[in-house]
C-alpha cells in the first residue's frame, strides 16, 4: 500500500516539446504529492506539489494534473528545455502512521535534445 | 539561507575505517533526515530526528550511527562498512516532521573499498 509507481523510466523530448511523467499510488491516506528534480551530483529539489483537493496546479512551465478517483497524478513540462534534463521523482505522503513518511516513485530520467 | 550543507562531498574509505558525514542547516528547521541513494534509484529514508531526538530508524545496520548534537547539525558516523554501502548519502531538513517541504543537501558520495 506504500508503493508509488512511476513511468516512464526514461524519456527523450525535443526542445520545445512537452514532457509528461506519470505516477500512480495505492494508499488513500496520502494527501500530499510533490515532484522532485535531481541533477547529477546534486540532491533532489522540490519542484512543485499538489494536494488532492485540486485537480491541477501550474507553476511556470510545470503543471501537475491530479486524478483522485484514479489515484494518479502527472507532471507536464511545457516548452521543455535542455536545462530541464534531469531525473524527476514523484512522491507521496500522508498525515498519519506509516503514510507520514515520504514515499518516492522510481524516477524518470528526462533528456531534452536540441 | 535555504541551504543544507553537507561535508565532505566525496569520501573513499576502507572497510575497517571510521569516518563521519556532517550536515548543517541554518533555517531553524527542527526535523533532520538521512537518506541513502543508490545510482538510478530513489532516495531511501534511513533516520529522522525531530527536535534533536531520534524518532525514526528504518532498521538501518548498526555500522551507521546517527547523531544530532544540536538543532542545526546532524552527523552520520560510519564504521566497518561494506562495499554495498557505497552510495550517495543525502541529508535533508524540514520545518518540522509534520511539514512536508524537504530541503536536501547535495550529498556525500561514499565509496567503500
Amino acid at each position: 500500500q506504500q508503493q508509488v509507481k512511476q513511468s516512464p523510466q526514461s524519456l527523450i523530448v525535443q526542445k520545445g516539446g512537452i514532457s509528461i511523467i506519470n505516477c500512480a499510488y495505492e494508499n488513500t491516506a496520502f494527501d500530499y504529492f510533490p515532484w522532485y528534480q535531481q541533477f547529477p551530483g546534486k540532491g533532489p529539489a522540490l519542484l512543485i506539489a499538489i494536494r488532492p483537493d485540486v485537480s491541477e496546479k501550474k507553476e511556470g512551465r510545470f503543471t501537475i494534473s491530479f486524478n483522485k478517483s484514479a489515484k494518479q497524478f502527472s507532471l507536464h513540462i511545457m516548452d521543455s528545455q535542455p536545462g530541464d534534463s534531469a531525473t524527476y521523482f514523484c512522491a507521496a505522503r500522508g498525515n498519519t502512521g506509516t503514510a507520514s513518511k515520504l514515499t518516492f516513485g522510481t524516477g524518470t530520467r528526462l533528456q531534452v535534445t536540441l | 539561507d535555504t541551504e543544507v550543507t553537507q561535508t565532505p562531498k566525496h569520501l573513499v574509505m576502507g572497510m575497517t575505517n571510521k569516518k563521519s558525514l556532517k550536515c548543517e542547516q541554518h533555517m531553524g528547521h527542527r526535523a533532520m533526515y538521512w537518506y541513502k541513494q543508490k545510482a538510478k534509484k530513489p532516495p531511501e529514508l534511513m533516520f529522522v530526528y525531530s527536535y534533536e531526538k531520534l524518532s525514526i530508524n528504518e532498521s538501518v545496520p548498526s555500522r551507521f550511527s546517527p547523531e544530532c548534537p544540536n538543532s542545526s547539525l546532524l552527523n552520520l558516523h560510519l564504521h566497518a562498512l561494506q562495499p554495498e554501502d557505497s552510495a550517495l548519502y543525502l541529508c535533508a531538513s524540514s520545518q518540522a516532521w509534520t511539514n512536508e517541504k524537504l530541503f536536501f543537501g547535495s550529498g556525500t558520495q561514499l565509496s567503500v573499498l
Side-chain angles (χ1 to χ4, degrees):
Chain A
Q1 273 236 315
Q2 288 300 106
Q3 212 172 6
V4 177
K5 295 180 181 177
Q6 183 172 347
S7 63
Q9 189 174 354
S10 63
L11 182 60
I12 299 175
V13 173
Q14 276 198 322
K15 180 182 174 183
I18 302 174
S19 305
I20 302 173
I21 305 170
N22 301 298
C23 285
Y25 65 97
E26 298 169 358
N27 191 339
T28 53
F30 289 147
D31 64 358
Y32 175 71
F33 302 89
W35 285 88
Y36 284 85
Q37 179 188 55
Q38 186 174 24
F39 293 105
K42 298 290 186 184
L46 179 64
L47 191 61
I48 187 173
I50 198 168
R51 294 192 185 279
D53 53 346
V54 296
S55 60
E56 186 174 282
K57 182 173 182 181
K58 184 176 180 180
E59 290 184 3
R61 296 185 293 110
F62 301 91
T63 300
I64 300 179
S65 297
F66 188 85
N67 185 329
K68 187 175 181 179
S69 60
K71 292 189 282 186
Q72 295 174 347
F73 58 110
S74 59
L75 177 69
H76 292 62
I77 306 174
M78 312 300 287
D79 186 27
S80 299
Q81 298 297 311
D84 297 330
S85 298
T87 299
Y88 292 80
F89 293 99
C90 64
R93 182 177 175 173
N95 271 329
T96 57
T98 55
S100 60
K101 292 180 286 189
L102 196 63
T103 299
F104 284 93
T106 49
T108 297
R109 297 186 76 181
L110 171 65
Q111 183 182 353
V112 181
T113 61
L114 292 170
Chain B
D1 184 0
T2 58
E3 273 196 12
V4 175
T5 304
Q6 289 188 244
T7 55
K9 292 196 183 306
H10 303 275
L11 180 63
V12 179
M13 61 185 291
M15 289 190 284
T16 58
N17 292 158
K18 285 185 181 181
K19 296 286 184 183
S20 296
L21 310 185
K22 296 186 184 303
C23 174
E24 191 167 2
Q25 57 87 14
H26 295 289
M27 294 178 278
H29 290 175
R30 302 313 299 268
M32 297 186 77
Y33 310 73
W34 281 114
Y35 282 83
K36 173 183 177 180
Q37 186 177 27
K38 294 284 230 179
K40 301 184 181 181
K41 297 289 187 183
E44 297 174 23
L45 183 64
M46 300 175 70
F47 303 103
V48 180
Y49 274 84
S50 179
Y51 288 86
E52 297 141 60
K53 290 193 182 337
L54 183 64
S55 59
I56 293 180
N57 176 340
E58 291 287 273
S59 302
V60 178
S62 60
R63 58 185 183 269
F64 295 91
S65 175
E67 178 196 19
C68 189
N70 60 54
S71 60
S72 300
L73 294 174
L74 187 66
N75 298 321
L76 186 63
H77 303 297
L78 314 173
H79 173 54
L81 294 193
Q82 304 297 310
E84 59 265 28
D85 296 322
S86 298
L88 180 68
Y89 287 85
L90 293 161
C91 175
S93 71
S94 62
Q95 206 161 27
W97 164 240
T98 52
N99 186 281
E100 298 111 342
K101 189 168 184 180
L102 255 61
F103 291 80
F104 283 88
S106 290
T108 294
Q109 187 65 55
L110 174 68
S111 297
V112 182
L113 304 179

